[in-house]
Amino acid sequence: MIRSQAAPEAPAAGWGPYAAAALLSILLCLAGGRLGDIGAASLDFPGWTLPAGRAILLFAAMWAAGLAMLLLFPRGLTRRRRLLAILVPALLCRLFLLPLAPSDDLNRYLWEGRVVQKGVNPYLHPPDDPALSALARQDPLHGGINHPDIPAVYPPLMLLGFSGLARLGATPMAVKSVMTLFDLGTLVLVIRLLSHRGLDERWAALHAFNPVVLYAFAGQGHLDAVQNFFLLSAICLYDQKRWGWMFAAAGLAVQTKYAAVLTLPFLVNRENLGRLWAVLPAAGLPFLPFLGETPGRMFTALAAFGTQFAFNGSVHGLLRWTLGGIAPATAACQAMAAAAMIFGYLRLHPRRAPRCFDDPVSGCFFALGAVLLFSPTVHFWYVAWIVPFLALRPTASWMVLCLTIGFGFTADGMFHLTGRWHLPAWAGPASWLPFWALFARDIRLFFLRRNTPLDPSPPASVSVVIPARNEGPGVAACVSAVLRDRRVAEAIVVDGGSADDTAVQAE
């Protein structure tokens, strides 16, 4: 029996395959940035056109390259080199995607920022309000605002942020750059959470090179990057038991996207209940400049989008087809979502569930996932809400959705081809059926394991036993590969009576 002790820092290995996958990811982002308008990137086949087909293929290839980077990540690196191996390609991917045509949502961001700057309440005056016609004529982006008859839907903090950008003369590219910075901040927080839990930082690749976040933030500039940043900040502060700051960060997440309010129950426990008040100024004070005489009008647009529109919803789409309309499908989804949240609180609260081990990640993941599953509208960038959690809870069903949600680009393609923004009949099932096939398995496994405690800490020290007989040509490479893992304390080779030099080579 031969024992080999692991060196404190094993030499780096496997850079070649990883570097090739990283270069491929960067080149795919460069190609994505050169698409211009996603809708114009169709693929023509004999007798058939795939709307936005080139964008869909690049999106899928980008996710495949990102997964390859995760699998090929070199072992035995110092922490500094591990971080550089993730952060440098992640930064380059985002920079190369910046030239992609921004979402038309940015037209509204900047318009509402200008309106606030002029002292007008955008919750009371939609973009096509005749009272704003003079301002509209001066705004080159006004004609590109979607749903101009509906007033502001975003929380007040974001309107104040847009106002600040408008004062600086921001352009859509400036907005995209700001959202990219928030996204990179979220990536740093993901790495910090992995490190705190003793998990390998390479899992951050599931966020760093995920095409959903790359296209949503660097590519199109959606504000959901801000929600991700504040919510991940709250979870980091939960780990540190800095309760006041945690609730403040959670309140700011709510002030970015109202969906984040559903994660709050998973952050509250008996230990921090006395600091719950800290969420109120963060979530409440930004409303004050907009209250006016009709505070209820602040949620008019939110109610309209939630009840009058539907696009690529999963459960909602099926119920809409079954029940014959948006309104009954929405009512049924609201009831199911409420039941799901109660179930999640009982089964996944960090102080109630034995498998959560005082960790709010599973509960927050569940809450945002439930919103996506029961929402009438699911644009591809909504999936970015759960992407940071994939690094901490890798789940095959959601990882597949990060691939198939790219079929939502067909709506942009249809708009370019026909002038009408809608999904082809096949695109919704193509987006969701692979997810549900795997999610059904996840549900079954959850109930099988629901009462089994889960230790979130991986082993810090491992002894590896390698049985060998007549393995002289390959045993040295095998031992070396095992020792490159920084958690392996020793490799024990048990020789079963070799006739060659296995023992010598192992030593």
Side-chain angles (χ1 to χ4, degrees), residues 5-7 460-464 482-491:
Q5 293 294 119
S461 175
V462 178
S463 296
V464 177
V482 167
L483 293 179
R484 289 190 190 107
D485 193 310
R486 66 183 187 278
R487 295 188 180 92
V488 174
E490 61 179 358

Side-chain angles (χ1 to χ4, degrees), residues 228-252:
N228 286 355
F229 176 80
F230 284 125
L231 185 55
L232 268 288
S233 297
I235 294 174
C236 283
L237 292 163
Y238 185 103
D239 286 352
Q240 301 168 29
K241 299 187 182 299
R242 299 172 65 183
W243 304 125
W245 288 108
M246 179 202 73
F247 282 122
L252 293 174

Side-chain angles (χ1 to χ4, degrees), residues 18 20-22 24-26 28-29 58-73 93 202-211 214 399:
Y18 178 80
L24 177 60
S25 291
I26 294 168
L28 289 170
C29 288
L58 281 174
F59 189 89
M62 198 176 294
W63 193 210
L67 293 175
M69 292 179 71
L70 171 67
L71 297 174
L72 298 173
F73 196 86
C93 284
R202 70 188 178 97
W203 288 102
L206 292 177
H207 178 278
F209 309 107
N210 192 303
L214 290 170
M399 290 168 67

Side-chain angles (χ1 to χ4, degrees), residues 90-297:
L91 175 61
L92 292 174
C93 284
R94 285 156 174 81
L95 289 176
F96 286 135
L97 262 177
L98 283 174
L100 185 70
S103 167
D104 57 5
D105 284 353
L106 273 65
N107 300 330
R108 181 177 282 269
Y109 296 173
L110 294 173
W111 164 259
E112 291 174 352
R114 289 192 66 196
V115 168
V116 172
Q117 183 187 356
K118 298 295 184 180
V120 179
N121 189 338
Y123 293 113
L124 303 180
H125 301 276
D128 65 355
D129 190 325
L132 302 178
S133 58
L135 184 61
R137 285 193 295 269
Q138 301 170 11
D139 191 334
L141 301 176
H142 182 271
I145 297 175
N146 56 50
H147 302 292
D149 57 323
I150 297 179
V153 66
Y154 305 114
L157 180 65
M158 298 312 300
L159 296 187
L160 294 172
F162 300 152
S163 176
L165 289 174
R167 290 179 186 276
L168 297 174
T171 62
M173 178 60 75
V175 175
K176 291 169 64 172
S177 300
V178 170
M179 298 308 163
T180 299
L181 290 175
F182 273 103
D183 180 39
L184 288 170
T186 302
L187 175 58
V188 172
L189 292 173
V190 168
I191 293 172
R192 184 170 182 176
L193 288 169
L194 288 168
S195 180
H196 183 265
R197 285 155 176 74
L199 302 173
D200 197 326
E201 289 93 345
R202 70 188 178 97
W203 288 102
L206 292 177
H207 178 278
F209 309 107
N210 192 303
V212 173
V213 297
L214 290 170
Y215 272 78
F217 305 144
Q220 294 196 338
H222 292 285
L223 59 79
D224 306 68
V226 186
Q227 174 192 263
N228 286 355
F229 176 80
F230 284 125
L231 185 55
L232 268 288
S233 297
I235 294 174
C236 283
L237 292 163
Y238 185 103
D239 286 352
Q240 301 168 29
K241 299 187 182 299
R242 299 172 65 183
W243 304 125
W245 288 108
M246 179 202 73
F247 282 122
L252 293 174
V254 173
Q255 270 293 332
T256 306
K257 297 284 283 191
Y258 292 124
V261 73
L262 298 176
T263 65
L264 282 177
F266 299 98
L267 300 174
V268 179
N269 56 51
R270 292 182 180 179
E271 185 178 351
N272 63 32
L273 195 58
R275 297 295 182 91
L276 181 58
W277 62 266
V279 79
L280 297 177
L285 288 179
F287 283 103
L288 294 181
F290 302 98
L291 288 178
E293 298 178 357
T294 53
R297 292 282 298 275

